Amino acid sequence: MIEDVIDKCPRLETERLVLRKCEPRDLDGFIRLNTDQKTHEFFRSQPSIEDCENGFQLGMQKQRKDGFGFAVMEDRESGSFLGFCGLEIPSYDVGPLPCEPCVEIGWRLLPEAWGKGITVEASQRWLRFGFETLKLDEVVAYTVVQNHRSRRVMEKLDMVHNPAEDFNFPGVAANHLLCRHVLYRLFKEKYLERKNG
Ligand SMILES: CC(C)(COP(=O)(O)OP(=O)(O)OC[C@H]1O[C@@H](n2cnc3c(N)ncnc32)[C@H](O)[C@@H]1OP(=O)(O)O)[C@@H](O)C(=O)NCCC(=O)NCCS
């Protein structure tokens, strides 16, 4: 199914947002987002500008390879960069996650835009694309246990947390504060049930 849509990641619009593929011009926004301390509260390290540049290139490569990836969220009125939100196939050097193979939904937003429901608005549109265009059976999301803002977004999307599936992130010491992760799932049936309401 995913092969069918290679290089067809769409430009989508919602009431307040444009969602689109990441482009080289987004590097500055990406650096601003990833060097922000608030945004990185639950990440294990604060990336340098060089780390951001490397991460950006990796993301672009992944987008070319999979046909989609964490996409840019842009303010529809002003065109300004707000952050990233979208579907991605996880792949970590440190090893697979217990939920792989899977497609995840993820997000990162500049703090000045927090608390306005922007991530939920973008995610709902990506879930529709995932289930209705990519024909996915399931989308997952995960975060460190303490990231309640992100977990709240998962809950608002009707994703379901099963504590039996909590996991230690590969390559992270088990006693590290940010090792334990929660996994949320949304199955196609539940998405359709909610949509048809
Ligand atoms: C997570 C993130 C994308 C949320 O984006 P957002 O667009 O501000 O999300 P929302 O507007 O839906 O607000 C988040 C919800 O969390 C709630 N919330 C905020 N702080 C909270 C806290 N400390 N504990 C519990 N809930 C909290 C808000 O009240 C809101 O819920 P509500 O609408 O029911 O009131 C944003 O905070 C972010 O970019 N964080 C840093 C990056 C990150 O952690 N990414 C996820 C990694 S997995």
Side-chain angles (χ1 to χ4, degrees), residues 39 107 109 114-117 119 143 147-150 152 156:
T39 305
W107 36 68
L109 185 65
W114 288 8
K116 300 175 188 167
T119 307
T143 190
N147 192 346
H148 291 289
R149 275 186 215 102
S150 193
R152 182 73 193 120
K156 288 202 281 186

Side-chain angles (χ1 to χ4, degrees), residues 98-99 138-141 158-161 165 183-187:
C99 54
E138 181 195 18
V139 174
V140 305
D158 280 344
M159 302 187 87
V160 176
H161 172 223
E165 292 189 302
L183 179 76
Y184 283 68
R185 295 182 189 267
L186 181 62
F187 289 101

